Amino acid sequence: MRGAILVRVFAGVFALVLGCSGARAADPITIGFGMALTGQIAANGRAALIAMKLWEEDINKAGGLLGRPVKLVYYDDQSSPPAVPGIYTKLLDVDKVDLVVSGYGTNVTVPAMPVVMEHKRLFMTLFALGINADFKYGRFFGMIPAGPSADAKRAFSKGFFDTAAAMNPPAKTLAIAGTDAESSRNAIEGALDNAKAAGMQVVYNQSYPPTTNDYSPIIRAIQARHPDAVYFASYPGDSVGLVNALHEVGMKARLVGGNLVGLQTTSIKTQLGPKLNGLVVYNFWVPSPTTLTPEMSAFLARYQAEAAKQGVDLLGYYLPPFAYAEMQVLGEAVKGAGTLDDDKLTAYLHAHSFPTILGDISFGADGDWKVAKIVFEQFHDVKGNDVDQFRGGKTETILEPASMRSGTLVAPYSDIAH
């Protein structure tokens, strides 16, 4: 009798253990991040979130990861770098997320790095330019097509200077202006290196506070130096202000543009309309017969349907493909390594190439892409402010790299813009 009771007790305990084990196995794998859902870069941050949630939906429909569903845990960083350390401390110490990724952009990724490094966690980042050249963190991975960290700052503006050198005659004098923030400082550092290599004389190089509202004095100061080329490194709000000021002042130069962040976003394109004409700016992905694969086209159709509901970037050509691809890479690494262990995932990411909607992506020893794939393009024939003229890249000519070139530079900027 006593033996039978013990058997029943042990059976009950065993069932309870199995039940608890099963419950734990069903707990979601959590991926935490901050994202700009309000503030200056919210237009891009909200677009990125749509893409990431589409991946969350896709991976869960496919059975999740390691037999568990996936859940995104995110907070609004308000486009504010000072808010970021607290968010990542909460994610790691309170929420105890399984994996972390960055928000959008260099300025909000840099303040997250010390927190992530202190916790010794793998960190997938989104559009953070060349930051691991300084941090040298072994568990860092960057989703930005700027190539190896050591060359990323130069790669970010190389196409602009290649275009300047190819002009007839080549541009010889240069003016530089940018916001006093991490991303722009990195871009300007690379631009100065490229200008030196091209033998260009820098006749103006000034930064301005992120709180600047009136950009006309900056443009007038540049105009007074009569540069051949004008290079800007700016964030969305000041990019709009700078372009408006170019037209208010009537900038006269042969080549104008650079790393004007925001001009890749549909809402800003439609806001500025014809004021874009003649500008030569960077981009990371441009729709073309070779880039619009069936996988990319399917993703964009889903993204655009959701973006229309939320009033976010209606085309989604800039950031959303990279946000989705980032999550694809992370998911494939978890599946391939068969674990959530940060060190094992790091080793797997370094050792493999990953198929994504952007094509195959592989990472170098520094955690950044092995090969840079930055595009420089010129706006042309923009009329009015409708969205459709920007579909399929109809009003954008690819100038660099040469392998993707779809036309030739129209210059000088002065004749096109006015």
Side-chain angles (χ1 to χ4, degrees):
M1 183 72 172
R2 183 179 177 187
I5 292 173
L6 287 174
V7 168
R8 287 197 295 272
V9 170
F10 283 127
V13 171
F14 186 62
L16 182 61
V17 170
L18 281 178
C20 291
S21 176
R24 282 197 299 272
D27 287 344
I29 291 174
T30 50
I31 303 175
F33 55 96
M35 186 58 74
L37 305 180
T38 57
Q40 187 187 54
I41 57 174
N44 284 340
R46 292 173 62 202
L49 182 60
I50 289 175
M52 295 166 80
K53 290 182 76 66
L54 287 175
W55 175 82
E56 179 187 38
E57 177 185 320
D58 290 344
I59 200 69
N60 285 330
K61 282 183 179 178
L65 295 173
L66 307 181
R68 297 163 59 185
V70 173
K71 180 181 179 182
L72 301 182
V73 179
Y74 54 90
Y75 301 100
D76 180 11
D77 65 29
Q78 303 172 58
S79 306
S80 172
V84 170
I87 288 174
Y88 281 84
T89 299
K90 183 178 189 304
L91 287 166
L92 292 166
D93 291 342
V94 180
D95 299 326
K96 298 189 182 301
V97 295
D98 296 299
L99 301 163
V100 284
V101 298
S102 80
Y104 156 62
T106 306
N107 293 355
V108 296
T109 302
V110 168
M113 286 290 289
V115 179
V116 175
M117 291 170 68
E118 181 183 353
H119 288 76
K120 297 180 171 59
R121 302 299 297 273
L122 171 77
F123 200 30
M124 292 286 296
T125 65
L126 184 62
F127 283 16
L129 176 63
I131 67 172
N132 211 32
D134 298 320
F135 284 104
K136 295 179 173 59
Y137 182 49
R139 299 178 183 90
F140 169 95
F141 293 92
M143 185 58 66
I144 182 171
S149 291
D151 298 321
K153 295 174 185 178
R154 291 188 293 273
F156 202 40
S157 59
K158 183 178 183 297
F160 182 85
F161 289 92
D162 287 347
T163 300
M167 298 177 76
N168 186 20
K172 288 297 183 183
T173 55
L174 173 71
I176 296 176
T179 185
D180 187 11
E182 189 78 29
S183 177
S184 296
R185 287 194 294 269
N186 287 348
I188 288 171
E189 182 182 331
L192 289 168
D193 286 344
N194 284 325
K196 182 178 180 180
M200 296 182 74
Q201 178 188 1
V202 178
V203 297
Y204 180 95
N205 178 16
Q206 296 291 329
S207 62
Y208 51 83
T211 53
T212 300
N213 292 313
D214 183 5
Y215 298 90
S216 298
I218 297 170
I219 303 304
R220 290 192 180 94
I222 292 173
Q223 185 84 291
R225 306 299 175 90
H226 305 290
D228 290 331
V230 182
Y231 172 90
F232 295 113
S234 52
Y235 249 39
D238 40 311
S239 294
V240 172
L242 287 165
V243 173
N244 283 327
L246 288 173
H247 285 262
E248 177 186 332
V249 173
M251 169 59 71
K252 292 179 174 60
R254 295 173 61 204
L255 178 68
V256 177
N259 297 107
L260 288 148
V261 177
L263 270 57
Q264 305 75 21
T265 306
T266 308
S267 60
I268 292 180
K269 288 179 179 179
T270 55
Q271 177 185 348
L272 292 172
K275 292 180 180 178
L276 295 169
N277 286 327
L279 292 172
V280 174
V281 301
Y282 87 99
N283 211 327
F284 290 146
W285 186 87
V286 178
S288 71
T290 56
T291 60
L292 278 171
T293 61
E295 294 80 11
M296 179 63 83
S297 297
F299 163 76
L300 288 172
R302 293 174 61 212
Y303 166 84
Q304 290 168 3
E306 187 60 34
K309 296 176 188 175
Q310 297 190 28
V312 183
D313 187 334
L314 295 176
L315 299 180
Y317 294 156
Y318 179 54
L319 183 58
F322 289 86
Y324 188 90
E326 173 191 36
M327 305 310 292
Q328 282 185 299
V329 168
L330 187 59
E332 287 301 312
V334 170
K335 286 192 288 185
T339 181
L340 295 173
D341 180 84
D342 292 274
D343 288 331
K344 292 179 180 177
L345 286 173
T346 297
Y348 193 90
L349 282 160
H350 278 302
H352 293 81
S353 177
F354 299 87
T356 74
I357 58 172
L358 292 166
D360 290 348
I361 294 172
S362 55
F363 302 94
D366 58 4
D368 274 308
W369 285 25
K370 287 184 176 179
V371 179
K373 296 181 180 179
I374 295 177
V375 170
F376 268 82
E377 58 182 353
Q378 183 176 41
F379 288 104
H380 60 86
D381 298 314
V382 178
K383 300 172 183 175
N385 304 89
D386 67 288
V387 173
D388 284 342
Q389 64 186 322
F390 297 109
R391 293 187 187 276
K394 291 179 290 190
T395 52
E396 296 156 64
T397 296
I398 298 173
L399 303 174
E400 294 291 339
S403 61
M404 295 179 64
R405 189 170 295 155
S406 61
T408 57
L409 174 72
V410 179
Y413 169 78
S414 308
D415 290 350
I416 305 163
H418 312 297

